[in-house]
Amino acid sequence: MSLNNLSSVSAPPPNALSAWTDDADRQDQDSTPARQLKILTFLHSFDPGGVERVAMRLNNAWHELGADVRLVIGRNSDTAHAGIKGLARDLPYEIIPGGEHINRRTQLAWMLRHLPAIIRRERPDVLFCAGNTYSSVSVGMKLILGRACPPIVAKVSNDLDRRDMGPVLRFCYHRWLRAQAGFIDCYVGMAPAMTDEIARATGLDRDRIAIVNDPILRRSELARFAGIHVARDNASAGRHFVAIGRMKPQKNFALLLRAFGRMATPADRLTILGEGPERPILETLATTLGIANRVAMPGHVSDLTTWLVDADVFVMSSDYEGVPAVLIEAIAANLAVVATDCSVSMRDLVRGGVFGQLVPVGDEVALAAAMAEAPRNQRDHQAALEHARHFTLEQGAADYLALMRKLVAQTARR
């Protein structure tokens, strides 16, 4: 399916998509009365994750903008995070009954079995695929429902190159990306640099790829982060490094611990915010390196502001990422940034080095050297705030709605 004129916004400057879709909406409104858009988003669980958190926030914003949103949750797991679940409190959502014993290995089959009936009952105008994790569900809905399946807007939430994979697995993954492209109506990247990456990985023309800057912060939250502008000039005091993310191999916190052990002074501290299966491994490694007394792992936190106030440098050690929301939050909060070059979007996100230093993925020596040289804050906090304003939830939610309305209108004319 071709989205007319969409290719013209595949790599826009900030707000270009909004301008295009506003024009498209005015054209549609000349002939079609405006009506409430019904969006269905499917998630496996309330388990903590960046994809799920952003999806919940988007649904809240769409609801505030007048859309009819529906959330379908596959299972209510024991590890459900209260903060993420709380985001759905005022939204229409349902948890598929009987999913108490469903786990990560069986959740895909569970969703494929039950979601089609819910879609037939709810009859949404569009399905929102919140991230790469859910592309298999999207393909399944197209195969099961056929022409009765609503158009699908799929957010590309993670790196598609996957340099972390071995050659055989990587080959299979890239073949899968090409296969699924035939079932997705529109891919949405989170930064302009992702346009070429998506086109290359999926084999699609640009007229089925759009860019919506990742909706990371509400304007009110950006104002709170702006208030963190703390002068961090006490050169005699140790520095506080902070990292944020699930404790899983992708984040490569082991690399971060080794780099910190290599460069840290006795007064320096490191805090890793998050939880996950690698916690025991990381705790053992910190003890082995002799830095356990300077490393804190407090688990999940619901409010980053308190932690960012007390930090000097944000560090990202990931092997791969999409557009990491925490990076923009750290920039807005006036932290210096050191990160691996783990995404095609990273250079845009740090503006070629203006807002942070990038090092090669997996390079312990380079990461340690960059951490040692990092300043205690952003050199130009006002410029950092202006950069972060391109990633507000209000702007991103409006851009998504305009894109969805255009897609639904074109589908109706087929």
Side-chain angles (χ1 to χ4, degrees), residues 317-331:
S317 52
S318 300
D319 290 336
Y320 62 93
E321 290 283 351
V323 172
V326 292
L327 179 66
I328 298 299
E329 291 172 326
I331 291 173

Side-chain angles (χ1 to χ4, degrees), residues 222-243:
L222 183 59
R224 288 178 62 205
F225 280 115
I228 297 177
H229 192 181
V230 179
R232 303 180 177 97
D233 298 323
N234 187 357
S236 62
R239 288 178 298 167
H240 184 189
F241 298 86
V242 64

Side-chain angles (χ1 to χ4, degrees), residues 112-133:
L112 292 176
R113 177 182 175 186
H114 293 279
L115 185 59
I118 297 173
I119 292 173
R120 292 188 185 102
R121 183 193 74 209
E122 294 292 336
R123 301 182 65 182
D125 296 308
V126 63
L127 300 181
F128 178 58
C129 175
N132 302 33
T133 304

